[in-house]
Amino acid sequence: MYFRIIEDSRSSAVGYLLADAGRQSAVAIDPPPGQEALICALLDECGLRLQHVARTHVHRPDHAGCAGLCSRTGASCVAGVEAGLADAARKLVHGDTLVFGDEVLHVLATPGHTPGCISFRWRDRLFCGDVFDVGGCAVGNSESDPALLYDSLTQRIFTLPDETLVFPSHRSKGRTVSTVADERRRHARVIGGSREGFLTEMAFRRVVHPRLTQALNAAGDEPRAGKGGLER
């Protein structure tokens, strides 16, 4: 087993390189842009062959694919069937598996942040993209869907074992790893009630946030969206 976190400090984007070291087969999950040279150096250092570049989600209109890293390594790009990634060699759905060496990634459909969001479960770890960006989904745009997010969290994520390690695609408050139990507690107030209550709160936040941003900007202060709401 080989596992390495790849981070772009400028954007806080986080990706992951994991491999079956014995079979020398690797997968890169959400590799941050501009980190191709580093990833190739790590592959060479460990004698690994990159088999797949896996994306948890892609935002419109920036459907930047995996062409750069794939062309350098011969890897195939994979993403969710709803991601709209034109250069994806394989489009994944819930229940699919992605094999590298003797290791297996299990695909979970976790839409909400975007329609095509998927997560990858590997051993005791979950690579979930921005599924926990509840605040961002509340503010949202045409891609986000709070109803789908609620279902993804309650039916797909929070049903996993408490000790499952959670790895997002962006650093959050200095952290790059959490657990399902921690995230369940962290989101208990907004997720712990009814689905209708969650949707009502998200609709309320979508109204309040633009007004709060406008007021704080006028006062020379600017809020930022936290994972569970608004922060200053």
Side-chain angles (χ1 to χ4, degrees):
M1 170 180 169
Y2 174 91
F3 178 66
R4 176 71 179 259
I5 296 175
I6 309 293
E7 184 172 5
D8 179 7
S9 58
R10 295 168 298 178
S11 65
S12 77
V14 182
Y16 306 92
L17 183 63
L18 40 150
D20 178 341
R23 297 287 297 276
Q24 299 179 306
S25 181
V27 172
I29 299 177
D30 289 334
Q35 301 300 308
E36 291 87 354
L38 172 60
I39 293 171
C40 288
L42 291 171
L43 293 169
D44 289 342
E45 179 182 53
C46 300
L48 299 172
R49 179 179 64 86
L50 190 63
Q51 191 168 345
H52 304 291
V53 178
R55 301 290 299 272
T56 60
H57 67 291
V58 182
H59 286 285
R60 295 193 302 261
D62 180 17
H63 277 175
C66 318
L69 185 56
C70 288
S71 64
R72 294 181 66 166
T73 62
S76 64
C77 180
V78 297
V81 68
E82 299 294 335
L85 197 57
D87 63 355
R90 182 179 171 192
K91 298 180 180 180
L92 303 169
V93 298
H94 182 74
D96 277 350
T97 57
L98 198 62
V99 177
F100 57 108
D102 292 329
E103 299 288 338
V104 179
L105 287 177
H106 298 271
V107 178
L108 285 72
T110 51
H113 181 69
T114 70
C117 284
I118 59 175
S119 297
F120 299 99
R121 183 170 58 84
W122 179 53
R123 297 192 176 200
D124 62 345
R125 306 170 189 216
L126 181 75
F127 304 93
C128 60
D130 288 332
V131 74
F132 287 110
D133 189 10
V134 175
C137 189
V139 176
N141 53 36
S142 60
E143 290 186 279
S144 62
D145 187 325
L148 290 178
L149 179 64
Y150 181 89
D151 293 341
S152 292
L153 288 171
T154 58
Q155 298 175 21
R156 297 273 164 80
I157 304 295
F158 291 153
T159 57
L160 296 172
D162 286 355
E163 63 274 15
T164 303
L165 298 173
V166 174
F167 293 91
S169 61
H170 288 88
R171 182 179 286 271
S172 175
K173 298 182 180 179
R175 301 176 64 185
T176 57
V177 63
S178 183
T179 67
V180 166
D182 286 344
E183 294 301 326
R184 190 186 293 113
R185 286 192 294 268
R186 187 179 175 196
H187 293 87
R189 188 184 68 80
V190 291
I191 301 292
S194 68
R195 189 173 190 267
E196 290 72 19
F198 176 78
L199 298 183
T200 298
E201 176 154 346
M202 294 300 104
F204 174 76
R205 292 187 186 189
R206 284 189 171 181
V207 172
V208 169
H209 184 271
R211 296 177 182 175
L212 178 60
T213 299
Q214 184 178 15
L216 291 176
N217 285 344
D221 193 3
E222 187 171 350
R224 62 183 185 275
K227 295 293 182 181
L230 302 179
E231 300 174 341
R232 290 182 60 185

PDB file of all heavy atoms in Angstrom, residues 214-229:
ATOM      1  N   GLN A 214     -23.158  41.832   0.865  1.00  0.00           N
ATOM      2  CA  GLN A 214     -23.249  43.216   0.416  1.00  0.00           C
ATOM      3  C   GLN A 214     -23.055  44.183   1.584  1.00  0.00           C
ATOM      4  O   GLN A 214     -22.328  45.172   1.476  1.00  0.00           O
ATOM      5  CB  GLN A 214     -24.608  43.456  -0.249  1.00  0.00           C
ATOM      6  CG  GLN A 214     -24.757  44.861  -0.827  1.00  0.00           C
ATOM      7  CD  GLN A 214     -26.106  45.036  -1.519  1.00  0.00           C
ATOM      8  OE1 GLN A 214     -27.019  44.226  -1.331  1.00  0.00           O
ATOM      9  NE2 GLN A 214     -26.226  46.074  -2.319  1.00  0.00           N
ATOM     10  N   ALA A 215     -23.674  43.865   2.719  1.00  0.00           N
ATOM     11  CA  ALA A 215     -23.577  44.749   3.883  1.00  0.00           C
ATOM     12  C   ALA A 215     -22.150  44.779   4.424  1.00  0.00           C
ATOM     13  O   ALA A 215     -21.618  45.846   4.768  1.00  0.00           O
ATOM     14  CB  ALA A 215     -24.550  44.292   4.962  1.00  0.00           C
ATOM     15  N   LEU A 216     -21.505  43.606   4.504  1.00  0.00           N
ATOM     16  CA  LEU A 216     -20.149  43.547   5.040  1.00  0.00           C
ATOM     17  C   LEU A 216     -19.140  44.165   4.090  1.00  0.00           C
ATOM     18  O   LEU A 216     -18.165  44.792   4.522  1.00  0.00           O
ATOM     19  CB  LEU A 216     -19.771  42.101   5.348  1.00  0.00           C
ATOM     20  CG  LEU A 216     -20.533  41.480   6.527  1.00  0.00           C
ATOM     21  CD1 LEU A 216     -20.161  40.016   6.675  1.00  0.00           C
ATOM     22  CD2 LEU A 216     -20.228  42.209   7.824  1.00  0.00           C
ATOM     23  N   ASN A 217     -19.365  44.004   2.792  1.00  0.00           N
ATOM     24  CA  ASN A 217     -18.475  44.640   1.831  1.00  0.00           C
ATOM     25  C   ASN A 217     -18.546  46.153   1.949  1.00  0.00           C
ATOM     26  O   ASN A 217     -17.540  46.854   1.849  1.00  0.00           O
ATOM     27  CB  ASN A 217     -18.829  44.213   0.408  1.00  0.00           C
ATOM     28  CG  ASN A 217     -18.375  42.802   0.094  1.00  0.00           C
ATOM     29  OD1 ASN A 217     -17.545  42.245   0.804  1.00  0.00           O
ATOM     30  ND2 ASN A 217     -18.914  42.224  -0.966  1.00  0.00           N
ATOM     31  N   ALA A 218     -19.762  46.644   2.153  1.00  0.00           N
ATOM     32  CA  ALA A 218     -19.938  48.095   2.317  1.00  0.00           C
ATOM     33  C   ALA A 218     -19.242  48.588   3.578  1.00  0.00           C
ATOM     34  O   ALA A 218     -18.776  49.726   3.651  1.00  0.00           O
ATOM     35  CB  ALA A 218     -21.426  48.434   2.356  1.00  0.00           C
ATOM     36  N   ALA A 219     -19.133  47.700   4.585  1.00  0.00           N
ATOM     37  CA  ALA A 219     -18.498  48.071   5.843  1.00  0.00           C
ATOM     38  C   ALA A 219     -17.001  47.761   5.835  1.00  0.00           C
ATOM     39  O   ALA A 219     -16.316  47.951   6.840  1.00  0.00           O
ATOM     40  CB  ALA A 219     -19.166  47.339   7.001  1.00  0.00           C
ATOM     41  N   GLY A 220     -16.499  47.221   4.709  1.00  0.00           N
ATOM     42  CA  GLY A 220     -15.080  46.901   4.611  1.00  0.00           C
ATOM     43  C   GLY A 220     -14.709  45.559   5.178  1.00  0.00           C
ATOM     44  O   GLY A 220     -13.539  45.270   5.383  1.00  0.00           O
ATOM     45  N   ASP A 221     -15.706  44.707   5.450  1.00  0.00           N
ATOM     46  CA  ASP A 221     -15.451  43.363   5.955  1.00  0.00           C
ATOM     47  C   ASP A 221     -16.095  42.407   4.984  1.00  0.00           C
ATOM     48  O   ASP A 221     -17.073  42.740   4.320  1.00  0.00           O
ATOM     49  CB  ASP A 221     -16.067  43.195   7.350  1.00  0.00           C
ATOM     50  CG  ASP A 221     -15.567  41.946   8.056  1.00  0.00           C
ATOM     51  OD1 ASP A 221     -14.703  41.264   7.481  1.00  0.00           O
ATOM     52  OD2 ASP A 221     -16.049  41.680   9.171  1.00  0.00           O
ATOM     53  N   GLU A 222     -15.584  41.222   4.857  1.00  0.00           N
ATOM     54  CA  GLU A 222     -16.120  40.256   3.902  1.00  0.00           C
ATOM     55  C   GLU A 222     -16.219  38.889   4.529  1.00  0.00           C
ATOM     56  O   GLU A 222     -15.255  38.406   5.107  1.00  0.00           O
ATOM     57  CB  GLU A 222     -15.227  40.173   2.661  1.00  0.00           C
ATOM     58  CG  GLU A 222     -15.840  39.317   1.564  1.00  0.00           C
ATOM     59  CD  GLU A 222     -15.064  39.411   0.264  1.00  0.00           C
ATOM     60  OE1 GLU A 222     -14.179  40.270   0.169  1.00  0.00           O
ATOM     61  OE2 GLU A 222     -15.347  38.611  -0.640  1.00  0.00           O
ATOM     62  N   PRO A 223     -17.395  38.250   4.462  1.00  0.00           N
ATOM     63  CA  PRO A 223     -17.549  36.919   5.047  1.00  0.00           C
ATOM     64  C   PRO A 223     -16.984  35.861   4.131  1.00  0.00           C
ATOM     65  O   PRO A 223     -16.760  36.107   2.957  1.00  0.00           O
ATOM     66  CB  PRO A 223     -19.065  36.759   5.166  1.00  0.00           C
ATOM     67  CG  PRO A 223     -19.565  37.501   3.962  1.00  0.00           C
ATOM     68  CD  PRO A 223     -18.628  38.683   3.789  1.00  0.00           C
ATOM     69  N   ARG A 224     -16.781  34.705   4.651  1.00  0.00           N
ATOM     70  CA  ARG A 224     -16.428  33.558   3.835  1.00  0.00           C
ATOM     71  C   ARG A 224     -17.347  32.406   4.211  1.00  0.00           C
ATOM     72  O   ARG A 224     -17.771  32.303   5.350  1.00  0.00           O
ATOM     73  CB  ARG A 224     -14.955  33.162   4.026  1.00  0.00           C
ATOM     74  CG  ARG A 224     -14.593  32.744   5.424  1.00  0.00           C
ATOM     75  CD  ARG A 224     -13.086  32.448   5.521  1.00  0.00           C
ATOM     76  NE  ARG A 224     -12.740  31.919   6.835  1.00  0.00           N
ATOM     77  CZ  ARG A 224     -12.476  32.663   7.890  1.00  0.00           C
ATOM     78  NH1 ARG A 224     -12.533  33.966   7.814  1.00  0.00           N
ATOM     79  NH2 ARG A 224     -12.162  32.095   9.055  1.00  0.00           N
ATOM     80  N   ALA A 225     -17.642  31.579   3.246  1.00  0.00           N
ATOM     81  CA  ALA A 225     -18.553  30.455   3.468  1.00  0.00           C
ATOM     82  C   ALA A 225     -17.794  29.327   4.124  1.00  0.00           C
ATOM     83  O   ALA A 225     -16.831  28.820   3.560  1.00  0.00           O
ATOM     84  CB  ALA A 225     -19.160  29.991   2.157  1.00  0.00           C
ATOM     85  N   GLY A 226     -18.187  28.934   5.338  1.00  0.00           N
ATOM     86  CA  GLY A 226     -17.598  27.781   5.983  1.00  0.00           C
ATOM     87  C   GLY A 226     -18.295  26.530   5.547  1.00  0.00           C
ATOM     88  O   GLY A 226     -19.325  26.569   4.873  1.00  0.00           O
ATOM     89  N   LYS A 227     -17.756  25.395   5.936  1.00  0.00           N
ATOM     90  CA  LYS A 227     -18.344  24.126   5.531  1.00  0.00           C
ATOM     91  C   LYS A 227     -19.723  23.925   6.132  1.00  0.00           C
ATOM     92  O   LYS A 227     -20.545  23.217   5.592  1.00  0.00           O
ATOM     93  CB  LYS A 227     -17.428  22.968   5.934  1.00  0.00           C
ATOM     94  CG  LYS A 227     -16.093  22.972   5.214  1.00  0.00           C
ATOM     95  CD  LYS A 227     -16.255  22.694   3.755  1.00  0.00           C
ATOM     96  CE  LYS A 227     -14.906  22.643   3.049  1.00  0.00           C
ATOM     97  NZ  LYS A 227     -15.018  22.405   1.638  1.00  0.00           N
ATOM     98  N   GLY A 228     -19.979  24.563   7.254  1.00  0.00           N
ATOM     99  CA  GLY A 228     -21.295  24.363   7.840  1.00  0.00           C
ATOM    100  C   GLY A 228     -22.120  25.620   7.880  1.00  0.00           C
ATOM    101  O   GLY A 228     -23.190  25.668   8.444  1.00  0.00           O
ATOM    102  N   GLY A 229     -21.635  26.707   7.282  1.00  0.00           N
ATOM    103  CA  GLY A 229     -22.404  27.933   7.288  1.00  0.00           C
ATOM    104  C   GLY A 229     -21.534  29.105   6.945  1.00  0.00           C
ATOM    105  O   GLY A 229     -20.574  28.996   6.215  1.00  0.00           O
TER     106      GLY A 229
END
